[in-house]
Amino acid sequence: MILKNFMIQVGNFFFRWRDTAFTLIFLPAIYLFTKENQSIGGINVDISASIIGFAILLLGQIIRGVTVGYAYIKRGGLNKTIYAETLVHRGVFAHSRNPLYLGNILIVTGSVLNLNLLWYSLIILPIFYFIYFCITFAEEKFLAEKFKEDYTAYTKKVNRFIPSGLSTWKNSIEGMDFTWKRFLKKEFITTTVIVFSAFFLANVLKFHYRYSESLTSNFAVFCWTMMTLFFLGYIIVKVLMLFKKLEIEARIES
């Protein structure tokens, strides 16, 4: 109980500062890219790390995208503190209590594995997992106190992270529709652009510093092009938001 209370306190702290903390976590990687003999194996290992890392990152982004697209909920915090208007049981939340956090965990795991920095990974990933478990415990405490029996019953049916009961997916989204406007407005410009742009930039730097890959090689040009496309997508969505072309009905699924 003492340990869990400590983790809840840590979770409340990092819920407020999580974006800043996780940004600082990745900054050392940029420096480590410039150093020799930091990676595991040779170029084939680095290529494999990029592919595996991208696959895990993509899975995390898909989970977040589907979650937001089917049932966007106001559970991202109020004044940087844990907050929720309602307890959502449908969509992805019928299979995982924390699908957005699961997506974040996969995104960071894939991003770190992509870097192929052994000691950095062994230090950063456990710290990240600990912080996210603390945030989850803090949020669970809030939800349990606010929704009481409803939340207790919900926790008995749905896993904390790992999705279960996917065979009933059609029932979970019955009467719901995937809203691209919601995805673009709530997810694309806040997470997708940053995540994938950072991934492609990291690969440009990784192969440039480790294997003297030219910044104008075919691979580098591909990465620069992808970053440019994501940036243009960001601008387009922002313009659409400015002209209120992405307005959606406020709807909370329960």
Side-chain angles (χ1 to χ4, degrees), residues 56-103:
I56 296 173
L57 180 154
L58 179 61
L59 176 60
Q61 181 59 77
I62 290 173
I63 291 174
R64 283 189 57 91
V66 173
T67 301
V68 172
Y70 271 113
Y72 176 70
I73 60 168
K74 295 181 180 179
R75 217 171 83 181
L78 181 66
N79 297 323
K80 294 189 176 182
T81 59
I82 295 172
Y83 172 77
E85 286 188 352
T86 186
L87 181 63
V88 180
H89 297 88
R90 302 193 62 204
V92 184
F93 289 91
H95 306 278
S96 170
R97 302 203 305 267
N98 299 281
L100 294 176
Y101 289 171
L102 173 62

